[in-house]
C-alpha cells in the first residue's frame, strides 16, 4: 500500500494546489500519498525549529532585556505583551481573506513573510542609535511599532496556517506529532537561548549591538523556515470549503452564473448568516471560548512580568535569565512527547483540568523568591522547570481540543474567532496587570502574581462542562 488517507472528521476531498502551476481539481476519492504526508510533516517540523530561532530574537527574554536596557516602564512591558494578543482581533479578517485564496502556501508567504522582514527595520534602528541618529525613547517607540505591524501580518495568516496543518496531520496522530514537533522547537530553544544570552551580555560593542546581531540572525532563520513550507502539501481553501458541508444555497450561488448582482449579494449575506447561526448553536465551541478567554486573561495578568521581576527587581544579568528560560525549554522538551501520547490515550480535557490546577498555583510560588543565592541557584531554576513541564501540557492540549471542536467547513473562521476572543482577553489582562504594577505601592508585582493565581483556578470551571469530541 503506497498511500494513506488523511483522517479528518470527513473524507478528504480537497484540491491540491500545485506550486508554480494552476490548481488541479481532484476526485472525491483521492488519497494523499504516504510520501507526501511524510514530507509535509518533516517540513513542518523543520519550519518549527527555524521559527523558534526567529522567535528567540523577536520576542521573549531578549526583547524584554532590550526594553530594560532602554529604560522602558512597566506600562511599555504591558504593551509589548498585549500587542501580539490584541492583534488577534484581525484573525477573522485574515481567515476571510485566506478562504478566498487558492493556496495556503502563497498566502503564508504574503503574511508571515512580510511580517518577518519588518524586523530588519529594528536592526537599522539599533545601528542608528549607535550612530546617534535616534535616542532611546525613539527606539522604544520603533520597537513597539514593529511588534504591532509584524504581529498584525502574522495575525492575518495564523488561522490559515492552523487550518492547513489540521488538514495535513492525520487525526489519530495529532497528539504525538505536535508533541514531537514542539519538542524539536523546544530543543532548539534549549540550545540557542543560552548562546544568544551570552552573545548579548558579552558582545564587545555592548548588549545593544549584541542584540542587533542576534536579531539579524533570527530574521534569516525565520525566512528559511517559511521556505520549508514549500515542501508541505498545499491546500486550496476554496476547494476545502466546497466539499465539506456545502449547502444547496451555496451550490446555487456557485453554479448559477445568470444571477444579477443584487441576488448574488443577497446569497452571500445568507451564507454569512448561516455561518453565524452555526457558530452560536455550537454550544461546545462557545464553552471553549469562555474557558479560553478567561484563562488568557488570568494568565496574562502576570506572565509578562516574571522576566521584568528577575531583570529589574532582582537585578539579575540577562545571561542568568536565559539559562532559566533554557531550563524551561528543556522541561518542555522532555514532557511534550509524554503529554502527546497521554492526550491521544485519555483525551485533552482531563489533562487541561489537572495540569491547569498546577499552573494556577505556580504564581503563588514566586511570592517568597528573592535575590539570595539559594533562590537564584535552586528555586528559580526549579520554578522554570515546573513551568516548562506544565505549560507543555496546556499548550498542546488547548491546541488539540480546538482542532477537535472546530468543524472542517470554514475551519479557519472558528480558529480566528477563538484567537480573537483570547487575544482581547489576554491583552486586557496584560493591560490591567501593567497599570497595577505601575501605580501600586511596593510589592505590586507579588500581589499581581497572587491575583493571577486565583483567577487561573477560577478559569478552569468551564472545562467541567466541555464535551471533547470522540477520538478516532
Amino acid at each position: 500500500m503506497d498511500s494513506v488517507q488523511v483522517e479528518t472528521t470527513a473524507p478528504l476531498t480537497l484540491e491540491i494546489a500545485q506550486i508554480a502551476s494552476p490548481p488541479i481539481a481532484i476526485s472525491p476519492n483521492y488519497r494523499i500519498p504516504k510520501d507526501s504526508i511524510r514530507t509535509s510533516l518533516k517540513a513542518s517540523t523543520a519550519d518549527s525549529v527555524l521559527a523558534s530561532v526567529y522567535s528567540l530574537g523577536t520576542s521573549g527574554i531578549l526583547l524584554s532585556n532590550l526594553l530594560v536596557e532602554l529604560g522602558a516602564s512597566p506600562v511599555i512591558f504591558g504593551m509589548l505583551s498585549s500587542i501580539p494578543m490584541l492583534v488577534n482581533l484581525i484573525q477573522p479578517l485574515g481567515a476571510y481573506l485566506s478562504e478566498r485564496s487558492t493556496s495556503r502556501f502563497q498566502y503564508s508567504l504574503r503574511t508571515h513573510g512580510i511580517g518577518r522582514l519588518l524586523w530588519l527595520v529594528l536592526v537599522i534602528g539599533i545601528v542608528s542609535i549607535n550612530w546617534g541618529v535616534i535616542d532611546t525613547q525613539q527606539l522604544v517607540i520603533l520597537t513597539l511599532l514593529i511588534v504591532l505591524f509584524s504581529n498584525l501580518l502574522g495575525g492575518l495568516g495564523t488561522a490559515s496556517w492552523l487550518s492547513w496543518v489540521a488538514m495535513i496531520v492525520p487525526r489519530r496522530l495529532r497528539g504525538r506529532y505536535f508533541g514531537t514537533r514542539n519538542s524539536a522547537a523546544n530543543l532548539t530553544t534549549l540550545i540557542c537561548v543560552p548562546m544568544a544570552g551570552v552573545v548579548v551580555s558579552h558582545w564587545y560593542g555592548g548588549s545593544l549591538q549584541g542584540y542587533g546581531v542576534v536579531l539579524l540572525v533570527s530574521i534569516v532563520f525565520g525566512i528559511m523556515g517559511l521556505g520549508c513550507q514549500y515542501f508541505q502539501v498545499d491546500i486550496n481553501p476554496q476547494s476545502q470549503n466546497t466539499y465539506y458541508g456545502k449547502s444547496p444555497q451555496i451550490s446555487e450561488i456557485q453554479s448559477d452564473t445568470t444571477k444579477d448582482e443584487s441576488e448574488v449579494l443577497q446569497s452571500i449575506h445568507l451564507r454569512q448568516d448561516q455561518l453565524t447561526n452555526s457558530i452560536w448553536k455550537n454550544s461546545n465551541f462557545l464553552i471553549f471560548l469562555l474557558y479560553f478567554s478567561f484563562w488568557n486573561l488570568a494568565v496574562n495578568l502576570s506572565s509578562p512580568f516574571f522576566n521584568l521581576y528577575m531583570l529589574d527587581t532582582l537585578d539579575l544579568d540577562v545571561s542568568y535569565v536565559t539559562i532559566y528560560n533554557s531550563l524551561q525549554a528543556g522541561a518542555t522538551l522532555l514532557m511534550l512527547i509524554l503529554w502527546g501520547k497521554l492526550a491521544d490515550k485519555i483525551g485533552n480535557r482531563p489533562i487541561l483540568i489537572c495540569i491547569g490546577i498546577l499552573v494556577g498555583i505556580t504564581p503563588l510560588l514566586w511570592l517568597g523568591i528573592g535575590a539570595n543565592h539559594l533562590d537564584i541557584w535552586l528555586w528559580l531554576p526549579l520554578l522554570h522547570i515546573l513551568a516548562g513541564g506544565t505549560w507543555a501540557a496546556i499548550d498542546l492540549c488547548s491546541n488539540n481540543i480546538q482542532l477537535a471542536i472546530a468543524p472542517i467547513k470554514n475551519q479557519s473562521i472558528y480558529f480566528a474567532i477563538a484567537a480573537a476572543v483570547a487575544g482581547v482577553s489576554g491583552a486586557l489582562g496584560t493591560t490591567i496587570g501593567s497599570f497595577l504594577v505601575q501605580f501600586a505601592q511596593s510589592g505590586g508585582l507579588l500581589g499581581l502574581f497572587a491575583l493571577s493565581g486565583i483567577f487561573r483556578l477560577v478559569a478552569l470551571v468551564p472545562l467541567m462542562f466541555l464535551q471533547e469530541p470522540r477520538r478516532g
Side-chain angles (χ1 to χ4, degrees), residues 84-195:
M85 293 178 287
L86 193 58
V87 297
N88 283 327
L89 279 172
I90 206 172
Q91 283 209 29
L93 174 61
Y96 175 86
L97 294 174
S98 71
E99 297 309 304
R100 278 144 186 79
S101 68
T102 57
S103 167
R104 295 287 189 198
F105 172 67
Q106 296 292 342
Y107 187 80
S108 179
L109 285 183
R110 292 193 296 269
T111 53
H112 291 104
I114 298 174
R116 294 182 181 185
L117 287 173
L118 276 178
W119 285 93
L120 289 172
V121 178
L122 184 56
V123 176
I124 298 172
I126 292 173
V127 173
S128 299
I129 198 173
N130 281 281
W131 288 351
V133 177
I134 61 175
D135 58 30
T136 57
Q137 291 304 309
Q138 290 172 328
L139 187 60
V140 168
I141 295 173
L142 179 63
T143 302
L144 291 179
L145 287 174
I146 293 171
V147 170
L148 173 62
F149 287 107
S150 65
N151 279 278
L152 278 173
L153 288 163
L156 287 174
T158 298
S160 176
W161 176 86
L162 188 57
S163 182
W164 187 8
V165 296
M167 297 306 302
I168 291 176
V169 181
R171 186 182 184 89
R172 70 180 186 276
L173 300 178
R174 282 177 181 169
R176 280 171 285 175
Y177 172 70
F178 284 114
T180 302
R181 184 182 188 274
N182 293 348
S183 292
N186 279 277
L187 176 60
T188 306
T189 302
L190 174 67
I191 296 171
C192 294
V193 166
M195 295 171 57

Side-chain angles (χ1 to χ4, degrees), residues 375-386:
D375 289 344
I376 291 174
W377 295 106
L378 179 61
W379 295 120
L380 279 173
L382 288 178
L383 277 176
H384 282 81
I385 291 172
L386 174 65

Side-chain angles (χ1 to χ4, degrees), residues 44 105 112 114 204 218 294 303 332 381 416 451:
S44 182
F105 172 67
H112 291 104
I114 298 174
Y204 68 91
S218 298
F294 196 58
S303 62
T332 302
L451 182 65

Side-chain angles (χ1 to χ4, degrees), residues 56 62 188-201 214 322 326:
L56 179 151
L62 296 183
T188 306
T189 302
L190 174 67
I191 296 171
C192 294
V193 166
M195 295 171 57
V198 170
V199 171
V200 172
S201 294
V214 171
T322 54
S326 181

Side-chain angles (χ1 to χ4, degrees), residues 16-40:
I16 307 301
Q18 302 296 323
I19 306 300
S21 65
I24 300 175
I26 61 175
S27 68
N29 296 322
Y30 182 84
R31 293 182 176 184
I32 298 179
K34 277 185 178 180
D35 290 342
S36 296
I37 291 180
R38 290 195 187 103
T39 301
S40 298

